[in-house]
Amino acid sequence: MSNPSSPPRSRQIPVIILAGFLGSGKTTLLNHLLRHRAGTRIGVIVNDFGSIETDAMTVSGQVGSTLSLGGGCLCCAVDVSELDTYLETLTRPAARLDVIVIEASGLADPQESVRMLLASDNPHIVYGGLVEVVDAAELATTRERHPEIDRHLAVADLVVLNKTDRAGDADRLRIREAVAATGSTAAVIPATYGRIDPELLFDPALRPDGEEKARQLTFEDLYLEERTAAAGEEHGDHLHAAYESLDFTSDVPMSPRRLMEFLDSRPEGLYRIKGYVDFGAGDRDNTYALHAVGRFLRFAPRPWTRGEPRLTRLVLIGSGIDAEALHKEPADCRETTPRPGEAAPGDTAPADMAPDAAQDAPHERSMWDVLRYVQQPGDDA
């Protein structure tokens, strides 16, 4: 039985765009995700199905280009003009996907792909970020020949610095400086052979019906057992060491104004923020799911369930961040000491006033900036 105090899983499926110049290692990274999906059902849209390794597809329970099998993975050779059509297919309940990855062509304009995704009318998806893969050994040469790469880096939410085994420390530093020079505030993650922790991109699948608890070993299970027994390959690499994850919990409601100030100026390298926010008197009836990736921000209100603790719970994920200083940022967003123009914490209506009146005009006004990021039917992001 599920915990009644636990927030329900979002019905929206994150869609991640995987971009990068030819030869940067996009497909290698995608194959890595398919091999190490740990029960997560991944839908894949690629330009060239043949570039995905047959064994990786088998490991993830998928052997056909448009066939949905036990692993819940689909793969479609697609032109960008057909994106909405395929998203409609992939988000049908029968597909039961947890995340969708779009591998863009090495010559595609990732900004256009993001624009198309954000303009989609599909209510079952949410933007999961633009991941730009770059070849650490060839980036300087690529930028000289293709200066548009700088524009791609500037709009990325996460930059995967691949093939770092072929670049020295000085080269890596120059590459990071080059990325920063584009105006990008994206987290930069080093990698070899496209090996990054999948949890950086998407959450592990949760099976409330327990379907993953009692099942036969899959090809994926056998593959991982074999690899672990052979050399402890992934364990030795400590993939999670490339980024930091910070948990924040508060039983004091958050100030909408202060939280939005923090979100509007979130520090360089902070890639994802997820969780639920209690705005107290700003909205006593609802908790707000928060989903932020790169520059993208979305709130989704839902009613409090009976007996659910009224807490704010956030997870912040990034690379090169100061975890101690970052923890102080959301802590300072709590309703503790009022700033000029803000309602004082704990302000309550007189005893003879109706409960709804506690949400007075100042509290309601303080929620305006939050409500701007609540998607309404027909909105473009």
Side-chain angles (χ1 to χ4, degrees):
M1 181 179 296
S2 61
N3 185 347
S5 66
S6 299
R9 294 185 65 205
S10 170
R11 295 183 180 180
Q12 290 185 305
I13 301 172
V15 181
I16 298 164
I17 298 176
L18 186 60
F21 197 70
L22 296 168
S24 60
K26 298 187 305 297
T27 302
T28 302
L29 192 155
L30 178 56
N31 285 326
H32 170 77
L33 295 179
L34 290 172
R35 288 179 179 276
H36 300 86
R37 62 190 183 88
T40 301
R41 296 188 174 99
I42 304 175
V44 182
I45 301 176
V46 296
N47 292 104
D48 181 9
F49 173 74
S51 63
I52 295 190
E53 296 175 3
T54 304
D55 56 349
M57 305 298 279
T58 303
V59 164
S60 56
Q62 168 184 317
V63 294
S65 61
T66 57
L67 183 64
S68 174
L69 299 178
C73 299
L74 290 85
C75 181
C76 311
V78 62
D79 182 83
V80 290
S81 63
E82 300 173 299
L83 181 59
D84 258 335
T85 301
Y86 281 99
L87 287 175
E88 178 64 28
T89 300
L90 294 171
T91 55
R92 288 174 180 168
R96 305 173 71 197
L97 295 179
D98 300 298
V99 62
I100 297 170
V101 179
I102 300 175
E103 183 189 352
S105 163
L107 299 176
D109 182 346
Q111 188 170 14
E112 182 60 26
S113 300
V114 172
R115 186 179 297 113
M116 289 182 61
L117 183 59
L118 293 181
S120 172
D121 293 328
N122 192 317
H124 305 298
I125 64 169
V126 64
Y127 179 60
L130 168 62
V131 180
E132 182 78 13
V133 185
V134 299
D135 183 336
E138 300 293 335
L139 181 59
T141 302
T142 302
R143 291 177 70 213
E144 290 178 3
R145 295 178 178 175
H146 303 277
E148 66 272 18
I149 292 295
D150 282 2
R151 183 165 50 85
H152 298 176
L153 292 171
V155 300
D157 300 304
L158 176 70
V159 176
V160 176
L161 195 57
N162 197 30
K163 306 183 185 180
T164 51
D165 54 318
R166 297 174 51 196
D169 291 340
D171 294 328
R172 278 177 263 183
L173 178 59
R174 281 194 293 270
I175 293 168
R176 287 179 178 272
E177 291 173 345
V179 172
T182 68
S184 172
T185 59
V188 180
I189 301 292
T192 57
Y193 301 102
R195 294 198 298 261
I196 65 172
D197 193 330
E199 290 191 36
L200 182 62
L201 302 183
F202 50 80
D203 299 332
L206 302 176
R207 304 292 178 213
D209 55 3
E211 65 186 59
E212 296 292 332
K213 294 180 180 178
R215 58 178 172 82
Q216 295 181 344
L217 287 177
T218 64
F219 284 111
E220 180 186 22
D221 297 323
L222 297 173
Y223 172 83
L224 290 176
E225 285 186 7
E226 178 183 348
R227 300 292 279 188
T228 301
E233 175 186 355
E234 297 299 336
H235 297 280
D237 287 340
H238 296 293
L239 298 179
H240 62 277
Y243 68 94
E244 293 181 89
S245 178
L246 169 67
D247 295 334
F248 172 80
T249 301
S250 174
D251 58 0
V252 177
M254 307 297 280
S255 161
R257 191 169 302 172
R258 295 182 186 185
L259 183 63
M260 291 308 303
E261 287 175 358
F262 163 63
L263 293 175
D264 286 341
S265 60
R266 45 195 186 271
E268 180 177 342
L270 181 56
Y271 172 56
R272 292 179 67 199
I273 308 176
K274 57 185 180 178
Y276 286 82
V277 181
D278 173 20
F279 286 117
D283 187 345
R284 298 191 186 280
D285 296 327
N286 294 291
T287 180
Y288 281 71
L290 188 163
H291 170 75
V293 54
R295 300 168 182 81
F296 179 83
L297 175 63
R298 176 68 50 78
F299 285 100
R302 70 160 175 83
W304 292 102
T305 60
R306 180 176 299 179
E308 179 179 357
R310 300 215 168 194
L311 301 173
T312 292
R313 293 171 171 153
L314 299 175
V315 179
L316 300 89
I317 302 171
S319 176
I321 57 177
D322 183 337
E324 183 176 349
L326 186 57
H327 188 276
K328 186 176 182 298
E329 295 277 1
D332 287 345
C333 296
R334 294 176 293 186
E335 286 278 22
T336 52
T337 304
R339 294 178 181 174
E342 289 186 349
D347 278 358
T348 56
D352 60 348
M353 186 177 291
D356 287 347
Q359 292 183 199
D360 54 19
H363 282 124
E364 290 180 352
R365 283 197 299 269
S366 72
M367 289 292 292
W368 286 352
D369 282 345
V370 172
L371 296 177
R372 286 176 49 225
Y373 292 95
V374 174
Q375 186 175 22
Q376 303 298 327
D379 279 358
D380 287 347

